[in-house]
Amino acid sequence: MQCLSTTLCLTFAICSIPLQLTVMVTRRELQTPQTKVPGNDGNDLSQQQASAPPPPGKIGWPVVGDHTLAFYRDTAQFLESNTTRFGPVFRTRILNKPTVMVTSYSGVKACVSTPLLERATAFKPFMARLFGEDNLMLQGDEDRRSQAMALHCVFGCDNLHTFSDTLDAALRVATNHFKTTLEKQHQLDIYSSMKQFCTTMTLALFLGVSEHDTELIERISGVATTHWHGITALPIPFNVFGHKSTFDKALSAKEELLAIIRERIELTQRSTPVPPEQQVLAQIAKSLGQDDERTLNNMLIFVSALIPKALGALLSHLMIRLFRVGNESLLEKARSDSDFLFRCIQEVERLDPPILAGRRVVVPGEIVVIDGYAVPDGDVVMFMYPQANRDPTVYSAPNEFHPDRWLNNDLPTPLTYGAGIGECIGKHLSRQLMVRVAKVFLTQFDITLDDALAADDPHPKSKWLPVARPATPIPCTITPVI
């Protein structure tokens, strides 16, 4: 398996080699009369700021200087060694492209808040064929803001209460389906269990499936998984004598998912009145107007494996923190005090964000100053959420699980959901779902983790790519509370 991972990384790097292999890599000149900085409202900087130095580090030669494999093998070690040597902002070569890594809280916040870093260009090579180009992730800033505003009626904090019945229905479907699963198997892995629960819940929420649609739930779950595997596969489709590449299977799964989404939308449109379990789907389709492609592509994101994996990762870490041996007092307080439970969720969001990094490209013709370093146009910028959320200049005892730190209302919020113009539109919905699911597991289930996971053990390491999860399975027994 390790050999396969190595081969994939190297092949991907080779596939992205510029045609001019013989051209020597040199440092680009960073002088420009229009250097700008995030949060500077577009005004030119002073001459002193305009002459900001480039980030430290080495981008090396194409291919031979690429560090993708080292980053993939041990992300935490790669970042620690480079930040120790160069500081919280450094330059390297990832996927054969000059890349600036940003790990400080201030730097990451600047990255997610500035319009001078472009999202669409950074993600299209990886996601366009699997999700379509007309959606929130891959559109330019103006179109993305337009779609986000249209969807605010669903995801906005002030509007979630109007879908309370739909959320309750989705949670009920997921709970009953999960209990049925437990009748067949009690010994489980904590992450797989949370992911399975969240998969059913999101399908019920966004597609309006009911607890009686067992076969449909299993079918969509399997197709969504196959589709998701295309994210980490070589983007080369082939079909030889019926043997398909992983990417080709993902493309076929995409078409099947789109067909299912289309059927569910048509079912909703024929329903008068729309039943509570289909309200979210109906409102999303209405908000995005008559553009069928845009609606389908955005729905593809919502029903893909991305959201269940992210929520499943957060819930896994929350359950580990609360149910591990020696944390009985913490568990009882979370069960009896909703405010404390929410603080626990905030602390898990800070310590264990499900997404490792954001990826952007500097807008052509611009230079972005991040933490005092000038990043030229064309460079890729990767900003690391886990490191920013543990910045010791922002959070005291940053590696400790301390929920009551959030009693301080002046403490900067974690950057797990972004910030400013780059804030995730699903932030409030995600937190609403986290609270509801956590209460279900705290009141309706008992979880026994592997005995080896004692309270004084270090927190289990994470595997970060493509979505964070415990690096090794953590066995557990989950039983319904009668």
Side-chain angles (χ1 to χ4, degrees):
M1 193 66 186
Q2 184 62 51
C3 292
L4 177 60
S5 301
T6 302
T7 302
L8 290 179
C9 289
L10 291 177
T11 305
F12 197 95
I14 291 171
C15 288
S16 61
I17 300 174
L19 293 178
Q20 298 83 8
L21 284 177
T22 57
V23 178
M24 181 174 178
V25 179
T26 58
R27 178 183 297 176
R28 274 178 278 185
E29 295 297 324
L30 299 175
Q31 296 178 352
T32 173
Q34 294 186 343
T35 302
K36 299 178 182 179
V37 65
N40 199 49
D41 299 325
N43 296 325
D44 291 352
L45 298 177
S46 66
Q47 183 61 39
Q48 181 180 0
Q49 291 172 307
S51 60
K58 298 179 180 180
I59 60 172
W61 290 70
V63 185
V64 294
D66 190 81
H67 291 98
T68 304
L69 189 55
F71 178 72
Y72 176 83
R73 278 178 169 169
D74 194 335
T75 304
Q77 176 58 33
F78 177 83
L79 293 173
E80 182 179 352
S81 63
N82 279 280
T83 53
T84 299
R85 182 179 179 186
F86 300 116
V89 180
F90 62 92
R91 211 168 182 215
T92 184
R93 180 177 290 274
I94 301 293
L95 295 178
N96 207 38
K97 293 184 178 296
T99 301
V100 174
M101 297 279 193
V102 183
T103 64
S104 65
Y105 185 95
S106 58
V108 172
K109 187 174 183 179
C111 289
V112 298
S113 303
T114 176
L116 300 182
L117 292 177
E118 190 178 35
R119 177 201 305 258
T121 302
F123 282 105
K124 277 185 179 179
F126 307 100
M127 308 188 76
R129 295 190 64 182
L130 290 172
F131 288 92
E133 294 191 13
D134 192 2
N135 60 50
L136 280 167
M137 289 194 300
L138 301 182
Q139 281 297 304
D141 286 342
E142 289 301 322
D143 286 336
R144 184 171 59 83
R145 278 193 287 269
S146 173
Q147 293 186 44
M149 289 298 295
L151 291 169
H152 183 74
C153 62
V154 178
F155 297 107
C157 181
D158 298 334
N159 301 315
L160 283 178
H161 70 279
T162 62
F163 298 101
S164 181
D165 290 344
T166 310
L167 294 176
D168 289 340
L171 201 60
R172 184 170 57 252
V173 170
T175 303
N176 292 337
H177 185 265
F178 189 71
K179 286 181 178 179
T180 302
T181 301
L182 293 180
E183 293 175 359
K184 304 174 184 177
Q185 183 181 8
H186 292 284
Q187 189 66 31
L188 304 164
D189 162 51
I190 188 67
Y191 169 69
S192 298
S193 301
M194 297 300 110
K195 182 181 67 172
Q196 177 189 354
F197 187 99
C198 292
T199 296
T200 307
M201 179 179 64
T202 54
L203 294 181
L205 178 63
F206 291 113
L207 293 182
V209 300
S210 72
E211 57 191 279
H212 305 295
D213 297 325
T214 304
E215 291 185 4
L216 181 60
I217 291 172
E218 297 300 329
R219 176 191 169 198
I220 300 176
S221 299
V223 175
T225 299
T226 301
H227 173 251
W228 178 256
H229 287 165
I231 295 289
T232 55
L234 283 174
I236 303 174
F238 70 84
N239 187 341
V240 180
F241 302 117
H243 297 283
K244 295 182 177 182
S245 66
T246 300
F247 190 73
D248 201 57
K249 291 178 182 177
L251 293 178
S252 298
K254 169 192 172 185
E255 296 305 317
E256 187 172 352
L257 281 174
L258 289 174
I260 294 171
I261 294 168
R262 190 178 290 109
E263 290 174 2
R264 301 302 294 185
I265 291 176
E266 291 173 354
L267 176 63
T268 299
Q269 292 172 341
R270 293 195 300 268
S271 302
T272 306
V274 177
E277 62 269 18
Q278 297 177 9
Q279 288 286 346
V280 168
L281 175 59
Q283 189 59 57
I284 290 176
K286 178 182 177 181
S287 301
L288 294 174
Q290 300 301 314
D291 192 330
D292 291 339
E293 181 181 0
R294 173 172 293 185
T295 300
L296 289 171
N297 288 344
N298 278 294
M299 284 300 303
L300 189 59
I301 296 173
F302 302 147
V303 303
S304 73
L306 174 61
I307 295 176
K309 282 178 175 287
L311 289 176
L314 286 170
L315 284 165
S316 298
H317 288 294
L318 179 64
M319 296 301 119
I320 291 171
R321 301 282 186 182
L322 296 179
F323 281 96
R324 71 193 312 174
V325 175
N327 283 4
E328 290 78 12
S329 60
L330 197 69
L331 175 61
E332 290 308 312
K333 188 173 182 180
R335 280 174 168 159
S336 60
D337 187 342
S338 294
D339 291 335
F340 179 73
L341 173 60
F342 184 70
R343 293 198 297 274
C344 288
I345 291 173
Q346 286 182 288
E347 188 70 340
V348 166
E349 289 173 351
R350 183 186 71 84
L351 284 170
D352 305 296
I355 305 298
L356 170 67
R359 191 175 191 268
R360 303 287 189 271
V361 175
V362 180
V363 171
E366 301 287 357
I367 289 180
V368 180
V369 178
I370 301 174
D371 275 3
Y373 295 108
V375 183
D377 69 337
D379 265 23
V380 172
V381 177
M382 290 183 66
F383 39 95
M384 306 294 151
Y385 296 117
Q387 284 68 31
N389 285 350
R390 298 185 184 218
D391 190 331
T393 67
V394 178
Y395 303 107
S396 60
N399 295 318
E400 293 183 11
F401 182 73
H402 182 41
D404 284 341
R405 75 171 75 236
W406 299 108
L407 290 171
N408 178 5
N409 294 326
D410 296 327
L411 194 64
T413 184
L415 296 173
T416 302
Y417 293 101
I421 62 172
E423 184 174 89
C424 173
I425 66 165
K427 172 183 176 179
H428 302 294
L429 176 60
S430 174
R431 284 186 162 175
Q432 178 84 254
L433 293 174
M434 281 286 294
V435 171
R436 288 172 179 249
V437 175
K439 287 183 177 180
V440 165
F441 277 95
L442 291 179
T443 58
Q444 298 189 37
F445 297 94
D446 184 52
I447 300 176
T448 303
L449 298 169
D450 189 293
D451 291 340
L453 196 65
D456 56 351
D457 285 345
H459 186 62
K461 293 183 178 180
S462 293
K463 182 177 181 181
W464 288 106
L465 300 172
V467 175
R469 59 200 183 280
T472 57
I474 298 176
C476 66
T477 302
I478 303 178
T479 54
V481 176
I482 300 176

